[in-house]
Amino acid sequence: MDNKKGRRYEAVKWMMVFAIGVCTGLVGLFVDFFVRLFTQLKFGVVQASVEECSQKGCLALSLLELLGFNLTFVFFASLLVLIEPVAAGSGIPEIKCYLNGVKVPGIVRLRTLLCKVFGVLFSVAGGLFVGKEGPMIHSGAVVGAGLPQFQSLSLRKIQFNFPYFRSDRDKRDFVSAGAAAGVAAAFGAPIGGTLFSLEEGSSFWNQGLTWKVLFCSMSATFTLNFFRSGIQFGSWGSFQLPGLLNFGEFKCSDSDKKCHLWTAMDLGFFVVMGVVGGLLGATFNCLNKRLAKYRMRNVHPKPKLVRVLESLLVSLVTTVVVFVASMVLGECRQMSSASQVGNDSFALQEYVTFSSTFPRKSRLSEVTSDEVNSSIKTFFCPNETYNDMATLFFNSQESGILQLFHQDSTFSPITLALFFVLYFVLACWTYGISVPSGLFVPSLLCGAAFGRLVANVLKSYIGLGHIYSGTFALIGAAAFLGGVVRMSISLTVILIESTSEITYGLPIMVTLMVAKWTGDFFNKGIYDIHVGLRGVPLLEWETEVEMDKLRASDIMEPNLTYVYPHTRIQSLVSILRTTVHHAFPVVTENRGNEKEFMKGNQLISNNIKYKKCSILTRAGEQRRRSQSMKSYPSSELRNVCDEHVTSEDPGEKEDLLQQMLERRYTPYPNLYPDQSPSEDWTMEERFRPLTFHGLILRSQLVTLLVRGVCYSESQSSASQPRLSYAEMAEDYPRYPDIHDLDLTLLNPRMIVDVTPYMNPAPFTVSPNTHVSQVFNLFRTMGLRHLPVVNAVGEIVGVITRHNLTREFLQARLRQHYQTL
């Protein structure tokens, strides 16, 4: 394209990332609205039942009503996962794989988005210990993948002629922007969302993509903020609720002069909490991995109804534990003066409409304070006291987090310890069942209980009166979440943006680093564990230092399946139907008696002519240089050139060049190019010298066959029809399958010239290239295939993603040591 088209393309790209951000924000608004609606409906009915049964002694009936709501919601969530299985879980492992370069089937389809969005509504409203923030990242990625395409398999009848973004690279960039927008909408953290895409996903990144992803994240944040602020406060355009999850404003009480948010002495406690958080996270990941393996062996092979029954069982146990713990295990604690809100134990109003206008931060502080006070539960407790266990369990998880961060009243250490253990076990059991589920909020709530417990111990038993309990709850949440997911840069910024308190930057960063290092000593992060269980070849950021003992020749695949520049249709069909490779090297053979082979065979003649044309390119370039040197003013140079040109005949130069490229030993046995590679070939036939000319994709070969791009042996290759780029990319992203095509109308003896459609200059490496260099080139350039070409232009192998996985490299390193 020319510069004008390039500018138009860039402008359309900016408009698309803005649209992706707006749509992702609207998806978040939809999820948030209906989760609150379903939760209020459920607790509104149970409220009346508990108030009545607490007097009549029929609390079992209240439990049955709560079970009815929760089991119904979870049943619907499980049914949606049966419709689209990839909608289960948070979707973050799958999006990590996609951004890393692995195409997971169905992960960015419209049907997946619908099942994910509606499924997370029911799973969160059903009382499971899951969050809606993780699925928001997946939802944003699906929006990013589908919106620029203007088409969907689920809506086949709706077709738009939109000629832009018909490549995997563009699609991957939009998925990066969508995932970042999902993080921004979930936490009100646009910068954190951008860093999340950079840290956890994309292998290819540049400055232009950074700006677009940040713009998309900002669009999502402010779209959600605009509508939520308008709906909740009635003051449109005030921008007061930045994300689905907000931690509120951290500040000490005006009456407590000794209180500080944190001091330098507290950093030592934060480091210890980071170590403990890393250990707890490693334990969580280990238990969840064992549960996942058990499900893969004993649940997934059975009928799909078993998965639904498992989800219902988890919901049943969770509901019973929450109800019984709230009624039996809680302690009555004294309310603070600001928290005396009467005896209404089911005050579910989470936001209050203000008639006056406050600045953003003071308004947010007022909203947070009112939500904390209104969500206090007074189950079976006298006036001016509240039930601390019910306050944590019988609220939404977001309200529970705010209670632990901002409640001035105390929580019993026994209550916090029991709550942590119960929540830890149930959250670990829940993550992995067949419902859409996130892990961020459960981890934050579990860690906040741990941090609040530490603050209580330090205050009550050690006598450190300056401690602010909210800070320790925040650090505990960061420590546990960091120990589970093992993110560092993006998670630090997300938590800072969620607190709106930059002074927390250092303690959060230190805690997350220590938690990550501690957890990495035992196992991987939870998302990497689930990626490994799926067998996806995920590439890390870099290889281990020891791997540089290997070269490209040690890890490449030498057994090649290839095509010739001019190949018969029967050979192409045979290759495509008997292999699963997505790209094939285009090669010609090195023959010793080429002139004899060229006689009487148009196909072989065309291939040999193409090879000679390609080989003589350097000689032709030298001749052009010589011609240009003749016009140089220096007579001495001109004389040298004249002598050089007259002393050698072009035919002799061609023979000399051909001799330089020939092997010193006898060439391998030659096969006709119209024969496809066979398993019956001998070792010499399989590994004979092949001159490399380029790469052609499976999708390109299938498109050529579908459109009948070929010529007969009696014709010149110039008679072959030519396809434009738009015609080649018309079926993107779902090209036809070779097994579904009816090729009976094509003459199998016809010849296809693939040279106009192949990539003649792909990235290549030498057989002696260090593995670290191969890895960096492969990952940073977003490659799928990396040919290994020797010094004389012969392809000796191909490196794919599988050859660069950690397990494969370690196996080859062991073989290397054994051969020493």
Side-chain angles (χ1 to χ4, degrees):
M1 62 177 71
D2 55 25
N3 288 338
K4 184 177 180 180
K5 289 184 178 179
R7 288 191 293 269
R8 184 189 309 157
Y9 184 88
E10 192 70 10
V12 174
K13 206 167 189 177
W14 277 99
M15 288 188 286
M16 289 310 307
V17 296
F18 175 74
I20 291 169
V22 171
C23 292
T24 304
L26 294 176
V27 170
L29 179 71
F30 177 85
V31 171
D32 180 67
F33 178 81
F34 281 98
V35 165
R36 294 182 185 278
L37 180 65
F38 291 160
T39 303
Q40 290 179 5
L41 173 65
K42 178 178 70 174
F43 281 116
V45 173
V46 176
Q47 171 188 0
S49 176
V50 169
E51 289 177 347
E52 182 180 354
C53 289
S54 61
Q55 304 295 330
K56 298 181 179 180
C58 58
L59 287 176
L61 181 61
S62 302
L63 174 60
L64 290 177
E65 291 180 351
L66 186 59
L67 279 172
F69 276 106
N70 287 349
L71 292 177
T72 301
F73 287 143
V74 173
F75 177 72
F76 286 143
S78 297
L79 286 184
L80 290 168
V81 170
L82 291 186
I83 296 174
E84 189 57 73
V86 294
S90 66
I92 295 178
E94 291 81 3
I95 296 303
K96 279 188 65 173
C97 296
Y98 191 96
L99 296 178
N100 195 260
V102 180
K103 193 171 184 179
V104 181
I107 195 63
V108 290
R109 290 182 57 184
L110 175 62
R111 190 168 69 177
T112 304
L113 173 64
L114 295 176
C115 292
K116 195 83 172 184
V117 170
F118 285 98
V120 77
L121 294 180
F122 293 120
S123 59
V124 175
L128 293 176
F129 291 167
V130 298
K132 55 182 181 287
E133 285 70 21
M136 271 302 303
I137 300 172
H138 186 188
S139 301
V142 180
V143 172
L147 194 61
Q149 301 300 316
F150 284 95
Q151 62 181 0
S152 171
L153 276 179
S154 305
L155 303 172
R156 288 186 176 90
K157 294 183 179 180
I158 300 178
Q159 294 287 339
F160 294 94
N161 185 19
F162 191 67
Y164 299 99
F165 317 125
R166 314 299 290 173
S167 69
D168 285 334
R169 175 155 297 191
D170 286 331
K171 190 173 183 178
R172 185 183 59 198
D173 289 348
F174 286 126
V175 171
S176 300
V183 175
F187 298 98
I191 301 175
T194 304
L195 292 176
F196 173 85
S197 280
L198 174 61
E199 180 182 7
E200 290 297 315
S202 297
S203 55
F204 179 77
W205 202 267
N206 57 32
Q207 184 181 11
L209 182 59
T210 305
W211 272 111
K212 292 182 182 70
V213 171
L214 180 60
F215 179 61
C216 185
S217 301
M218 288 287 185
S219 304
T221 301
F222 284 96
T223 299
L224 181 63
N225 199 340
F226 175 80
F227 283 101
R228 288 191 71 205
S229 300
I231 292 172
Q232 298 295 336
F233 297 129
S235 55
W236 296 88
S238 55
F239 298 107
Q240 294 153 9
L241 298 172
L244 299 180
L245 176 65
N246 192 276
F247 295 160
E249 182 183 1
F250 288 79
K251 63 178 183 179
C252 292
S253 174
D254 296 333
S255 60
D256 190 355
K257 302 299 182 182
K258 296 182 179 180
C259 174
H260 301 283
L261 290 183
W262 67 280
T263 63
M265 186 178 67
D266 296 334
L267 278 177
F269 295 118
F270 298 158
V271 170
V272 176
M273 291 174 67
V275 173
V276 177
L279 294 174
L280 292 172
T283 305
F284 184 96
N285 293 355
C286 179
L287 294 175
N288 190 262
K289 182 179 180 180
R290 292 178 180 272
L291 278 171
K293 288 183 175 180
Y294 177 83
R295 289 187 177 110
M296 294 171 66
R297 290 192 306 265
N298 301 288
V299 177
H300 295 175
K302 295 181 180 179
K304 293 183 178 180
L305 183 61
V306 177
R307 304 185 190 184
V308 178
L309 294 177
E310 184 198 16
S311 302
L312 294 177
L313 174 63
V314 174
S315 177
L316 173 67
V317 174
T318 302
T319 305
V320 172
V321 168
V322 166
F323 193 87
V324 173
S326 300
M327 302 297 174
V328 178
L329 300 180
E331 294 186 16
C332 294
R333 311 291 293 184
Q334 187 69 32
M335 289 186 186
S336 63
S337 58
S339 302
Q340 296 179 11
V341 293
N343 294 327
D344 184 7
S345 64
F346 283 88
L348 291 169
Q349 179 184 1
E350 299 195 6
Y351 296 101
V352 173
T353 302
F354 289 85
S355 56
S356 59
T357 302
F358 293 85
R360 178 188 178 278
K361 197 159 185 177
S362 62
R363 171 70 66 87
L364 184 61
S365 175
E366 293 288 344
V367 171
T368 303
S369 176
D370 186 81
E371 182 174 356
V372 170
N373 295 336
S374 65
S375 58
I376 289 177
K377 300 295 181 281
T378 60
F379 287 157
F380 310 111
C381 289
N383 292 336
E384 299 185 4
T385 61
Y386 70 98
N387 187 321
D388 56 358
M389 184 69 81
T391 299
L392 295 177
F393 263 138
F394 243 78
N395 273 310
S396 66
Q397 296 177 95
E398 291 81 2
S399 297
I401 291 174
L402 291 178
Q403 285 286 344
L404 292 169
F405 283 173
H406 302 291
Q407 178 58 265
D408 292 333
S409 304
T410 59
F411 289 90
S412 165
I414 297 177
T415 297
L416 290 173
L418 288 173
F419 176 81
F420 173 81
V421 171
L422 293 174
Y423 212 96
F424 181 97
V425 173
L426 290 174
C428 184
W429 186 21
T430 303
Y431 189 73
I433 62 175
S434 293
V435 296
S437 58
L439 195 60
F440 275 94
V441 170
S443 299
L444 288 170
L445 182 54
C446 200
F450 158 67
R452 190 73 185 238
L453 175 62
V454 173
N456 281 10
V457 171
L458 293 178
K459 270 188 171 183
S460 303
Y461 298 99
I462 301 182
L464 299 179
H466 72 280
I467 285 179
Y468 178 57
S469 300
T471 298
F472 276 76
L474 175 65
I475 297 301
F480 187 78
L481 182 59
V484 171
V485 301
R486 311 287 167 79
M487 293 188 296
S488 52
I489 303 173
S490 57
L491 191 56
T492 301
V493 177
I494 288 171
L495 293 177
I496 292 174
E497 289 185 281
S498 297
T499 59
S500 303
E501 187 62 62
I502 192 62
T503 58
Y504 279 138
L506 179 61
I508 289 176
M509 184 179 68
V510 170
T511 304
L512 287 174
M513 288 172 57
V514 173
K516 175 179 168 55
W517 292 339
T518 304
D520 285 342
F521 186 78
F522 297 97
N523 51 31
K524 295 182 178 180
I526 189 70
Y527 300 135
D528 292 328
I529 287 176
H530 281 266
V531 167
L533 291 175
R534 288 171 172 81
V536 178
L538 194 71
L539 298 185
E540 304 292 340
W541 277 104
E542 57 188 11
T543 59
E544 298 175 1
V545 177
E546 194 177 21
M547 294 302 170
D548 260 353
K549 295 181 179 179
L550 299 175
R551 306 296 176 99
S553 58
D554 296 320
I555 65 171
M556 69 182 184
E557 174 54 57
N559 192 2
L560 301 176
T561 302
Y562 48 83
V563 299
Y564 297 96
H566 300 263
T567 308
R568 295 196 191 278
I569 287 180
Q570 64 182 13
S571 297
L572 290 181
V573 173
S574 175
I575 291 172
L576 292 172
R577 286 183 172 173
T578 57
T579 65
V580 294
H581 305 307
H582 285 82
F584 303 93
V586 180
V587 303
T588 51
E589 299 176 13
N590 290 340
R591 300 177 182 275
N593 49 352
E594 291 176 343
K595 293 182 179 180
E596 296 180 8
F597 273 89
M598 292 175 66
K599 294 178 181 179
N601 192 316
Q602 182 67 30
L603 175 61
I604 298 178
S605 176
N606 286 344
N607 282 323
I608 292 176
K609 286 179 181 178
Y610 181 81
K611 187 191 78 168
K612 284 181 173 289
C613 176
S614 178
I615 288 177
L616 292 176
T617 299
R618 290 180 62 235
E621 178 65 24
Q622 184 61 37
R623 281 197 294 272
R624 286 193 293 272
R625 289 185 182 183
S626 299
Q627 293 294 330
S628 64
M629 289 173 70
K630 288 182 181 180
S631 62
Y632 199 80
S634 172
S635 60
E636 181 179 355
L637 282 177
R638 184 168 60 250
N639 293 336
V640 171
C641 289
D642 290 339
E643 292 175 2
H644 178 72
V645 173
T646 56
S647 62
E648 291 188 10
D649 183 72
E652 294 179 1
K653 286 201 300 178
E654 180 178 330
D655 293 338
L656 178 62
L657 184 60
Q658 184 67 29
Q659 293 172 12
M660 291 170 60
L661 293 174
E662 285 181 353
R663 295 281 190 148
R664 295 183 179 180
Y665 46 83
T666 305
Y668 292 133
N670 295 294
L671 268 73
Y672 287 97
D674 58 347
Q675 295 179 353
S676 58
S678 170
E679 295 295 331
D680 298 330
W681 283 4
T682 64
M683 184 69 70
E684 292 180 340
E685 291 170 338
R686 187 179 299 279
F687 295 99
R688 61 189 180 281
L690 302 168
T691 300
F692 179 68
H693 300 290
L695 275 179
I696 189 161
L697 302 178
R698 168 181 287 269
S699 59
Q700 294 173 319
L701 292 176
V702 172
T703 302
L704 294 177
L705 293 175
V706 169
R707 296 181 176 271
V709 178
C710 56
Y711 67 97
S712 66
E713 195 165 358
S714 60
Q715 296 175 321
S716 168
S717 61
S719 63
Q720 174 177 281
R722 292 297 179 96
L723 298 181
S724 65
Y725 174 79
E727 292 173 319
M728 288 292 289
E730 185 176 342
D731 294 325
Y732 178 85
R734 298 173 183 90
Y735 293 98
D737 189 348
I738 187 64
H739 298 283
D740 299 333
L741 299 182
D742 183 12
L743 302 175
T744 55
L745 298 179
L746 292 178
N747 184 353
R749 300 295 295 175
M750 297 286 278
I751 301 172
V752 178
D753 180 9
V754 303
T755 56
Y757 310 101
M758 71 180 184
N759 179 5
F763 288 98
T764 60
V765 292
S766 165
N768 294 320
T769 307
H770 288 285
V771 162
S772 61
Q773 294 175 281
V774 174
F775 188 92
N776 291 335
L777 175 64
F778 196 97
R779 197 186 195 285
T780 55
M781 298 313 299
L783 305 181
R784 295 185 67 180
H785 314 89
L786 185 59
V788 182
V789 180
N790 63 16
V792 294
E794 296 170 353
I795 185 170
V796 294
V798 171
I799 295 174
T800 62
R801 174 175 293 270
H802 168 72
N803 303 106
L804 293 173
T805 57
R806 189 166 181 265
E807 294 75 15
F808 185 88
L809 292 177
Q810 288 177 340
R812 287 305 170 94
L813 187 62
R814 288 193 294 268
Q815 293 180 7
H816 175 75
Y817 284 136
Q818 291 174 1
T819 57
L820 292 179

